[in-house]
Amino acid sequence: MNFLAHIYLSGNNDDVILGNFIADSIKGKKYLAYPPEVQKGILLHRAIDSYTDSHPLVKKSSAKLHKNYSHYSGVIVDIYYDHFLASRWQDYSEIPLENFVATFYKLLKRKFDLLPAPIQRFLPYMISENWLLSYASIEGIARILYQMNIRTKNIVQMDRAVNDLKEHYDDFYNEFQEFFPQLQEYSQKKISSL
C-alpha cells in the first residue's frame, strides 16, 4: 500500500501513524532507536507490506502490469489502491478526506524532529502539492506516476501506467474492493498483537 492506506490503517495513535509513515526510511533494526509506539508503527508498516505483497488479489492486479513495468508493477498497484481509497473515502471514514489529510500534515510538522532526513526533505513538497488529497483524482495519480518516473530515471516509463489504470479501471477497483476489507481486518489484529 502507499502513503494514504498506511496512514489510514494505523488507527488513532499519533506515534503509530508516524511510525507507519516513516517506516520505508528505517532499515533493519534502526527502528529500535525510536519511541515504543513509533516502533509499533514501523513494524505495522512492514507487516502490512508483507501481507499485501503476498496476497493473491494484489498479485492479480500486479500481473496485469508486469509485462510493461516489471518489478515496479507492485509500486504502481500500491498507488492505484491509494487512488481507490481516496476516491471512495466516504465509504471508509466519517472524517472528510480533506480534514484527515490536514490533521496528518499537522502531525508531521509537530513531530518534524522525529522524521528521517529524506522525509524532512520531501515533506514541504508533499504538503504544498497535497499528495494525499491528489490521490482522489486520475489527474493526481498521473502527477504521482510522473514524479515516480523521474525518480526512477524513466527506466520503465512508469508515467504511462495512468493509461493502464484508465483502461482496466473496473478490474483494478474490483480487486481493491475485495482486498481492502481483508487488509483492514489484518491490520486491526496486528496492531493489537504488537
Side-chain angles (χ1 to χ4, degrees):
M1 303 308 298
N2 208 33
F3 290 134
L4 184 62
H6 275 291
I7 298 160
Y8 172 77
L9 293 167
S10 297
N12 297 319
N13 182 310
D14 284 352
D15 284 344
V16 172
I17 293 168
L18 184 75
N20 201 336
F21 175 68
I22 67 172
D24 280 336
S25 297
I26 312 298
K27 304 302 178 196
K29 294 192 175 187
K30 290 183 179 176
Y31 77 95
L32 294 170
Y34 287 86
E37 293 299 297
V38 176
Q39 290 181 31
K40 190 174 181 177
I42 294 167
L43 294 175
L44 175 64
H45 181 108
R46 292 175 181 179
I48 288 170
D49 279 357
S50 181
Y51 179 85
T52 299
D53 293 345
S54 64
H55 198 285
L57 286 163
V58 177
K59 287 183 175 183
K60 187 176 178 183
S61 288
S62 187
K64 290 184 194 59
L65 301 168
H66 197 268
K67 179 182 173 190
N68 291 330
Y69 308 105
S70 186
H71 67 278
Y72 291 105
S73 59
V75 174
I76 295 167
V77 169
D78 287 348
I79 293 168
Y80 288 178
Y81 282 14
D82 257 18
H83 164 67
F84 295 127
L85 176 60
S87 64
R88 288 159 175 81
W89 183 260
Q90 68 281 358
D91 295 341
Y92 299 98
S93 178
E94 293 178 6
I95 301 166
L97 181 58
E98 294 84 357
N99 297 3
F100 180 86
V101 168
T103 300
F104 175 67
Y105 291 154
K106 285 177 190 168
L107 167 66
L108 294 183
K109 289 175 182 176
R110 204 171 63 246
K111 304 258 185 175
F112 188 81
D113 291 343
L114 276 175
L115 301 177
I119 294 177
Q120 288 181 344
R121 283 192 295 274
F122 79 62
L123 186 61
Y125 303 103
M126 180 182 196
I127 294 173
S128 67
E129 295 176 20
N130 208 345
W131 292 357
L132 298 179
L133 196 59
S134 75
Y135 289 153
S137 70
I138 295 286
E139 296 77 19
I141 292 302
R143 275 194 308 278
I144 296 293
L145 289 167
Y146 176 80
Q147 291 164 352
M148 294 286 293
N149 189 54
I150 291 170
R151 287 209 324 253
T152 57
K153 298 179 177 31
N154 198 29
I155 293 171
V156 294
Q157 297 180 315
M158 200 181 297
D159 55 316
R160 292 180 308 152
V162 71
N163 299 321
D164 298 88
L165 175 61
K166 291 175 186 174
E167 185 178 343
H168 302 286
Y169 195 91
D170 290 342
D171 291 337
F172 286 120
Y173 173 64
N174 290 335
E175 288 153 12
F176 166 81
Q177 194 175 32
E178 189 177 345
F179 164 70
F180 199 68
Q182 296 175 46
L183 179 60
Q184 286 178 281
E185 183 180 345
Y186 171 80
S187 299
Q188 288 167 357
K189 287 179 181 172
K190 195 68 185 175
I191 289 171
S192 301
S193 70
L194 288 170

